[in-house]
Amino acid sequence: MTYCVALKLQEGLVFLSDTRTNAGIDDVSRYRKMFTYEDTGNRAITLMTAGNLSVTQGVITRLDAAIRQSEAGDETVETVLNVPSIFRIAQIVGALMKEVLSIHRDAMEKDGAASGASIVVGGQIAGEAPRLFLVYSAGNFIECGEDSPYYQIGETKYGKPILTRTLTYATPLADGLRACLVSMDSTVRSNLSVGPPFDLSIIHTDALSFATWRRIEEDDETYAALSAQWSRALAESLHNLPNLDRLLR
Amino acid sequence: MTYCVALKLQEGLVFLSDTRTNAGIDDVSRYRKMFTYEDTGNRAITLMTAGNLSVTQGVITRLDAAIRQSEAGDETVETVLNVPSIFRIAQIVGALMKEVLSIHRDAMEKDGAASGASIVVGGQIAGEAPRLFLVYSAGNFIECGEDSPYYQIGETKYGKPILTRTLTYATPLADGLRACLVSMDSTVRSNLSVGPPFDLSIIHTDALSFATWRRIEEDDETYAALSAQWSRALAESLHNLPNLDRLLR
């Protein structure tokens, strides 16, 4: 399984993904699900993937091959690093998802394998505002608005309530990051197939570069402190909720 | 869909269920999923149901028919009100689940209907400690221990993190009730097919009667205050989490 969460807030974009994949509970591996592309001063872009790993790797491999082709002098090829909008990247990712699935879907389904996948595409390119898209297996996609300023893919349910209750488009980025980490921690504690380390990337609005892109290891002090403090805060908050005597009569 | 949660704490048992059922999102109804049986001073028992409504109603109808038969003078019939243990009730519920499914399962599956169901059985009978069981469609069942002092059935994921993080067997019953209400509220806010009003029953250890058995309406003041205060508490707790500057370097 997988859990990835992306926020589009006024102050910027936050991306957080786990690194665990499994084919059955006895075949667990670690794979990167976050892919970042940067041309400082011009663009910073993050992709996060969930679902069938062969499908999402097929998409990322093709995106990277296009970049190498472009760097080798081919001026006709469109890449994550040269198209004029995040929208265009979402279109390309959608088309690649269809292409990969058209090769393998029938055979995968005959094998009883789930071929579904989804990819979050977000970032900012000079000349436009930060944008965040969710691309489906069919190649279609949706764009994140300000009313629900986040996307989740993979094992989404455990980590949703904290996002629903605390996030608005105006939420400060630091609180948004805390909400992502709590959301991830709630998921990890509930589903063994989601696990550390985590990959984190942050793009401040109009910075056109990454504020951070790093891996958070399982024993990271800050993460461990946050998880422990969150458990204490929940227990205290619960204890301070209104008196329920009225319900007991 | 459905969400029911039951706690087995040192101080007693808490049961909370929603009342929404749906066959597709355009066919939503209200049905009771909590059923209580009391013989004050001798026993107090709650059943909660999830899954295919025709199956769970079939089980409850047969349990109630047995009670009427017993009340009419048949001393041979076993009922929720005369057996010596909650374990025996779980066995009877499991057998009835198998009986109902043996009549309808094949035809339901041909129709593409999900025939799965599960029933929580809990309470206390004079002479034994409070007990809590989870009965599956196959008639088999498990008993709740002290390490994970709760069961959830139906749409369980949204409401699980708050239970995992805050509950132990020693948690005071009042805090346990708060956790159940927050868990329900988190689910209701995330899945439209779970909804108010809610049914609540509480059995204190060794009371052998219900402390409360009541319906909580959508506009209940205490519930609304709890929900609003919980949202505020989460936002504050989040804001007070450790400084994350280290993660941003």
Side-chain angles (χ1 to χ4, degrees):
Chain A
M1 201 75 190
T2 286
Y3 180 50
C4 301
V5 54
L7 311 185
K8 191 181 92 170
L9 305 177
Q10 201 160 3
E11 294 182 2
L13 300 158
V14 178
F15 302 86
L16 184 68
S17 67
D18 84 320
T19 55
R20 194 165 288 176
T21 64
N22 66 305
I25 62 164
D26 56 352
D27 184 4
V28 174
S29 317
R30 185 189 290 185
Y31 279 93
R32 193 149 65 93
K33 300 164 191 176
M34 182 183 291
F35 303 88
T36 56
Y37 302 87
E38 185 177 37
D39 174 9
T40 309
N42 175 265
R43 68 186 61 200
I45 293 147
T46 296
L47 272 65
M48 294 194 296
T49 64
N52 188 293
L53 188 65
S54 71
V55 172
T56 58
Q57 281 189 345
V59 171
I60 300 295
T61 304
R62 283 163 174 76
L63 289 177
D64 292 345
I67 291 172
R68 283 197 305 279
Q69 200 179 329
S70 167
E71 285 171 348
D74 183 344
E75 290 178 7
T76 63
V77 65
E78 284 186 298
T79 78
V80 173
L81 291 174
N82 71 16
V83 296
S85 68
I86 307 286
F87 175 83
R88 183 64 196 140
I89 298 175
Q91 282 184 317
I92 292 170
V93 168
L96 290 175
M97 194 102 96
K98 275 175 77 173
E99 184 185 321
V100 176
L101 276 168
S102 72
I103 304 170
H104 298 297
R105 178 171 254 164
D106 288 353
M108 281 197 284
E109 286 179 359
K110 273 181 195 146
D111 271 3
S115 61
S118 50
I119 299 184
V120 163
V121 178
Q124 187 174 13
I125 294 179
E128 64 170 19
R131 299 177 78 175
L132 181 64
F133 292 87
L134 174 54
V135 185
Y136 300 106
S137 301
N140 58 327
F141 51 85
I142 54 175
E143 181 168 10
C144 183
E146 296 183 8
D147 288 323
S148 296
Y150 60 88
Y151 282 139
Q152 304 170 284
I153 53 176
E155 174 60 280
T156 60
K157 292 187 178 184
Y158 299 112
K160 187 171 185 184
I162 181 68
L163 305 177
T164 313
R165 286 205 196 241
T166 62
L167 290 183
T168 69
Y169 182 63
T171 300
L173 198 132
D175 284 351
L177 172 55
R178 291 182 174 105
C180 286
L181 290 165
V182 167
S183 177
M184 180 63 78
D185 194 50
S186 301
T187 308
V188 167
R189 282 166 172 255
S190 299
N191 187 332
L192 280 181
S193 73
V194 178
F198 311 118
D199 286 325
L200 168 69
S201 66
I202 296 178
I203 304 168
H204 288 131
T205 299
D206 296 335
L208 300 172
S209 66
F210 283 100
T212 193
W213 173 45
R214 78 192 302 281
R215 179 152 283 190
I216 301 170
E217 296 294 338
E218 185 159 17
D219 58 356
D220 182 274
E221 281 172 36
T222 309
Y223 176 72
L226 177 137
S227 176
Q229 189 174 324
W230 185 250
S231 291
R232 284 195 301 276
L234 283 192
E236 276 169 33
S237 299
L238 207 60
H239 191 69
N240 293 329
L241 283 177
N243 185 299
L244 298 179
D245 287 351
R246 251 202 69 248
L247 291 182
L248 300 177
R249 280 197 295 270
Chain B
M1 200 77 191
T2 284
Y3 181 50
C4 300
V5 53
L7 311 186
K8 191 181 92 169
L9 306 177
Q10 201 161 3
E11 293 182 5
L13 300 157
V14 179
F15 302 87
L16 183 67
S17 67
D18 84 319
T19 55
R20 193 165 288 175
T21 65
N22 65 303
I25 63 164
D26 55 351
D27 185 3
V28 175
S29 315
R30 186 188 291 186
Y31 279 93
R32 193 149 63 93
K33 300 164 193 175
M34 182 184 291
F35 303 88
T36 55
Y37 301 87
E38 186 176 36
D39 174 10
T40 307
N42 175 265
R43 67 186 63 202
I45 293 146
T46 296
L47 272 65
M48 296 194 296
T49 64
N52 188 293
L53 187 65
S54 71
V55 173
T56 58
Q57 281 190 344
V59 172
I60 300 295
T61 304
R62 283 163 174 78
L63 290 177
D64 291 346
I67 291 173
R68 281 197 306 278
Q69 200 179 328
S70 167
E71 286 172 348
D74 182 344
E75 289 177 7
T76 64
V77 66
E78 285 187 297
T79 78
V80 173
L81 292 174
N82 71 16
V83 296
S85 68
I86 307 286
F87 176 83
R88 182 64 196 139
I89 297 175
Q91 282 184 317
I92 292 171
V93 168
L96 290 175
M97 194 99 97
K98 275 175 78 174
E99 183 185 321
V100 175
L101 275 168
S102 71
I103 304 171
H104 297 296
R105 178 170 252 165
D106 289 352
M108 279 197 285
E109 286 178 359
K110 275 182 194 147
D111 271 3
S115 61
S118 50
I119 300 183
V120 163
V121 178
Q124 187 175 12
I125 295 179
E128 63 170 18
R131 299 177 78 174
L132 181 63
F133 292 88
L134 173 55
V135 185
Y136 300 106
S137 302
N140 59 328
F141 50 84
I142 55 175
E143 180 168 11
C144 184
E146 296 183 8
D147 288 322
S148 295
Y150 59 87
Y151 282 139
Q152 303 171 284
I153 52 176
E155 173 61 279
T156 60
K157 293 188 177 184
Y158 299 112
K160 186 168 186 187
I162 182 68
L163 304 178
T164 312
R165 287 207 195 240
T166 61
L167 290 182
T168 70
Y169 183 63
T171 300
L173 198 133
D175 284 351
L177 172 55
R178 290 181 176 105
C180 287
L181 290 165
V182 167
S183 178
M184 179 63 78
D185 194 49
S186 300
T187 308
V188 166
R189 281 166 172 253
S190 299
N191 187 332
L192 279 180
S193 71
V194 178
F198 311 118
D199 286 325
L200 168 69
S201 66
I202 295 178
I203 304 169
H204 288 132
T205 298
D206 296 335
L208 300 171
S209 65
F210 283 99
T212 192
W213 173 46
R214 78 192 302 282
R215 179 152 283 190
I216 301 170
E217 296 294 339
E218 184 157 17
D219 58 356
D220 182 273
E221 279 171 40
T222 308
Y223 177 72
L226 177 137
S227 176
Q229 189 175 323
W230 185 250
S231 290
R232 283 194 303 275
L234 284 193
E236 276 168 35
S237 300
L238 207 60
H239 191 69
N240 293 330
L241 283 177
N243 185 301
L244 299 180
D245 287 350
R246 249 201 72 248
L247 290 183
L248 299 178
R249 280 197 295 270

